[in-house]
Structures are given as structure tokens and as C-alpha cells.
Amino acid sequence: MDSATQILEIAERRMRQVGYNAVSYRDIAAEMGVKSASLHYHFPKKEDLGVALVRRYANNFRAHLAASTNGEVDPQTAIAAFVDICRHALTEQHLVCLCAVLGAEAPGLPHPVTIEVKNFFNDNIAWLAARYEALGFKGAIDHARTTLALLEGAMIISVVNDDITIFNAAVKSIQEKLT
Amino acid sequence: MDSATQILEIAERRMRQVGYNAVSYRDIAAEMGVKSASLHYHFPKKEDLGVALVRRYANNFRAHLAASTNGEVDPQTAIAAFVDICRHALTEQHLVCLCAVLGAEAPGLPHPVTIEVKNFFNDNIAWLAARYEALGFKGAIDHARTTLALLEGAMIISVVNDDITIFNAAVKSIQEKLT
DNA sequence: GTCTATAAGATGATAGAC
DNA sequence: GTCTATCATCTTATAGAC
């Protein structure tokens, strides 16, 4: 794993725990065993790191989605795969969605970072909407919107409570509509 | 308005925009026209300010709820009042719930602050659950959980998008279940 | 209650050696 | 690519005068 990737890996995990401003170049460098000046070679400004972080996260998310739904997968299973990505992060890593954290502090982030977060939300609403549409839902776009909002909110509350009960309730609600 | 209240007022608005770590004593003091040292007289440590902030927010939220549902109000109207408090903050002030923001960065906050955030979530889930129960809902507690998660998530995404469409979709989803 | 003054430490960032 | 060295600035926080 090259340095740039390692930086992104560490920064993502930390930001998903404590937010953008609470993560410093020093912290990341210390965990890597290098000096903070080295990070500036790869990401000159923190804004550059933030943008790269969200882009990579969005791409990885899309890749996981594609891997879980390759071949001819029915829309119902595809939506379940979407939910499972969130569940996996929550149960295996105790992490919420990167964009839930950054979205919560969006007005305080460098504008280019906020734009990436916004894109993540809209891209995934569109992805979900296409599946709801394929299932013949009336108001597919609104079902997509509530599904994403529900997952993002439930992840946050679940981590605060250190209890996935609320996430499970959210999943149940999504699944009930699918049947 | 006394100084302590003024500090809380300014700190709340700013933290609901940019998060806990991005708000400094200096910023708040500058907006008040005083020096940052003065703030430490009222709230010696930032953690004290954080705790007071969430407690006041939770109390105000509860007070607004009580004011909107005084007398004999049916549970359906009570839940609608809950939703309207969120809507009002979003449309009139472009602010999300304080606990949505702090919840997103919870593992990085002083522990006493996180506890207050956790209490806010649990208190309001209980409040909503009591209303769903009164309406005869099966799994009232899970309906309460999804309602809160949905509102919190929708507020975040709405602010990022500067568009209340997603919040409106969330409200529609809550209302549909109530009919 | 608010001020001045000050402290110790963190922060993002850069220049230049290796 | 990573290092040392350095920077200006910001951060929370305290002591003591008014």
C-alpha cells in the first residue's frame, strides 16, 4: 500500500469517528510513523485531502455496490445490498458513513469538500430511486430519499448509543416497504 | 439577556452549523464584543459549555413540545408538532438539530457532552414511542426510532443540498404511517 | 464580570537539505 | 519522498488588575 493510500485509509477512519476538524496531519503522520510535513507532499492542503477522501469513499461505495449486485440482481436484493454496506461498517467497524459526519458539519468545511459530500448524497439517491422505480413504486424518488436519510440518521444515533437497535429498526422499516 | 445566555445562544447557532471543534471561545467572544477570557468566567472549560448547551437545547425542545401540545392534544397532532419543530429550524434558520451535529462527531467529544446527546436521543424516542403507543401502533418503540432517525438524517442532507425536498419526503413518509 | 497579559500546546503550511 | 527546521496563527486556559 503506497503512502497516499495509507494516509487516506487512516484519515477516513479517524474522520468517520471525530469529524473533519478533529483530525490533524500530525495525528495521521504519527500513526504512520512519519512526520506531518510528509503528508503535505501528497496532499498539499487539508482541503485536498478532504476532497480526495470523499471521492475515494464514494468510489469504494459504488464498487462495493457493484460487486454485491453483479450479474442480474433483482432491485429488491440490490437495495438490501445497499443497506448491508451500512450495516457492515456499523457492526464490524463501529463507523458511520463518512458523508453523514461531514454532512453534519458541512457549512464549516472547505467548499470543494462540501460539493463532494453533496454529490455522494445525490448519486446514491439516484441509485436507490432507479431500483424503487424498477419495482414499480409510486414516488420512487421519495422512497430513495427517505431510505438514505433513514440510514444516515440511524447510523449516527446507533454509534452514540453504542447499540444497533435503532439501525435494526430502520432496516426493518425499509424492508417492510419492499414486501 | 444575561451574558451566559448570550454565550449559549451564539455557541448553539454556530455549533449547529460547523460542529463542536470548529467553534472557539474567540469566535463567540468576538461576536459578543468581549474578550475570550470573559467566557471562561461563565463556562470554565469548553466541556462545561458543551454540556450546558445540550441540556439547554433538550429543555427548550421539550418546552416547545409542551407548548405545542398543551391541553388535550391527540397523539397524531403531537407527533406533527415534533416534526414541525424540526421543520421550523430548517426553513427559518437553516439549522439542523444540535444533537445530529454533535452525534456525528460523538466519539471525539468530551464524554459528559456525549452523554447529554445520548440522553436527548433516548428521551425523544421515549416521547415519540408514548404517542405511537397511544395510537395503538404495534412496535411503537420502533416507529419512534425510525421517526427520529429519519428526521435527523433528512435535516443533515437537506442542509447540505440547501433544499428541503428530502426533508419533505421524510415528513410525508411519517405522515403516511399516521393515517 | 470583564479586562490585560500570558502561557503551553496544537494547527496547517512552507523552505530547503538529503 | 521524507526529513529537519521553522513559521504565523489559533486554541483552551489561567492569574491577577480593575
Side-chain angles (χ1 to χ4, degrees):
Chain A
M1 186 158 62
D2 64 351
S3 295
T5 307
Q6 207 182 337
I7 294 166
L8 290 166
E9 206 77 38
I10 295 170
E12 181 184 317
R13 174 171 39 78
R14 294 176 97 101
M15 282 197 192
R16 287 170 77 175
Q17 288 169 341
V18 301
Y20 183 88
N21 291 294
V23 174
S24 72
Y25 273 41
R26 268 185 152 84
D27 295 335
I28 300 167
E31 187 173 333
M32 293 176 66
V34 298
K35 297 296 171 182
S36 74
S38 307
L39 301 206
H40 286 279
Y41 170 81
H42 301 281
F43 303 100
K45 308 202 169 186
K46 197 177 181 183
E47 172 183 316
D48 302 321
L49 174 58
V51 168
L53 215 46
V54 184
R55 282 208 185 130
R56 191 184 80 124
Y57 180 78
N59 288 340
N60 286 350
F61 198 94
R62 188 55 45 100
H64 277 108
L65 228 38
S68 302
T69 62
N70 73 351
E72 298 292 306
V73 164
D74 60 296
Q76 209 158 326
T77 307
I79 294 171
F82 192 104
V83 170
D84 276 340
I85 294 176
C86 298
R87 192 212 312 277
H88 183 266
L90 202 55
T91 59
E92 304 300 310
Q93 307 177 290
H94 286 267
L95 295 179
V96 307
C97 174
L98 174 65
C99 292
V101 179
L102 299 188
E105 47 189 8
L109 302 179
H111 194 236
V113 179
T114 305
I115 289 176
E116 297 298 328
V117 173
K118 186 172 170 173
N119 288 343
F120 174 85
F121 288 144
N122 290 328
D123 289 351
N124 283 291
I125 287 171
W127 189 93
L128 286 164
R131 270 75 200 171
Y132 280 114
E133 193 125 29
L135 288 169
F137 273 70
K138 289 279 172 199
I141 183 76
D142 277 351
H143 280 285
R145 288 179 178 128
T146 58
T147 298
L148 184 64
L150 186 50
L151 288 171
E152 299 288 11
M155 292 181 91
I156 290 173
I157 303 176
S158 284
V159 164
V160 172
N161 279 349
D162 192 23
D163 176 0
I164 60 159
T165 305
I166 199 168
F167 184 80
N168 287 337
V171 173
K172 201 177 73 178
S173 161
I174 292 167
Q175 283 172 338
E176 275 168 5
K177 286 193 180 174
L178 281 175
T179 55
Chain B
M1 186 160 60
D2 64 351
S3 295
T5 307
Q6 207 182 338
I7 293 166
L8 290 166
E9 205 78 38
I10 295 170
E12 181 183 317
R13 173 169 41 78
R14 294 176 97 101
M15 282 197 192
R16 287 171 77 175
Q17 287 169 342
V18 301
Y20 182 86
N21 292 293
V23 175
S24 71
Y25 273 42
R26 262 194 176 176
D27 295 334
I28 301 167
E31 187 173 333
M32 292 176 65
V34 298
K35 297 296 170 181
S36 73
S38 308
L39 302 205
H40 286 279
Y41 170 81
H42 300 281
F43 304 99
K45 307 200 170 188
K46 197 178 180 181
E47 172 182 316
D48 303 321
L49 173 59
V51 169
L53 214 47
V54 185
R55 282 206 186 131
R56 192 185 78 124
Y57 180 78
N59 288 340
N60 285 351
F61 198 93
R62 187 56 43 101
H64 277 108
L65 228 37
S68 301
T69 63
N70 74 350
E72 299 292 307
V73 164
D74 62 295
Q76 210 159 325
T77 307
I79 294 172
F82 192 104
V83 170
D84 275 341
I85 293 176
C86 297
R87 192 213 312 276
H88 184 266
L90 201 55
T91 59
E92 303 301 309
Q93 306 176 290
H94 286 266
L95 295 178
V96 306
C97 173
L98 174 65
C99 292
V101 179
L102 299 188
E105 47 189 8
L109 301 179
H111 194 236
V113 179
T114 305
I115 290 176
E116 297 299 328
V117 174
K118 187 172 170 171
N119 289 342
F120 174 85
F121 288 144
N122 290 329
D123 288 351
N124 284 290
I125 288 171
W127 189 93
L128 285 165
R131 269 74 201 171
Y132 279 115
E133 195 124 30
L135 288 169
F137 273 71
K138 289 279 172 200
I141 182 77
D142 278 350
H143 280 285
R145 289 178 178 129
T146 57
T147 298
L148 184 65
L150 186 50
L151 289 171
E152 299 288 11
M155 291 180 91
I156 289 173
I157 303 177
S158 284
V159 164
V160 171
N161 278 348
D162 193 23
D163 176 0
I164 60 161
T165 305
I166 199 166
F167 183 81
N168 287 336
V171 173
K172 199 177 74 178
S173 161
I174 292 167
Q175 284 173 337
E176 276 169 4
K177 285 192 179 174
L178 282 174
T179 55

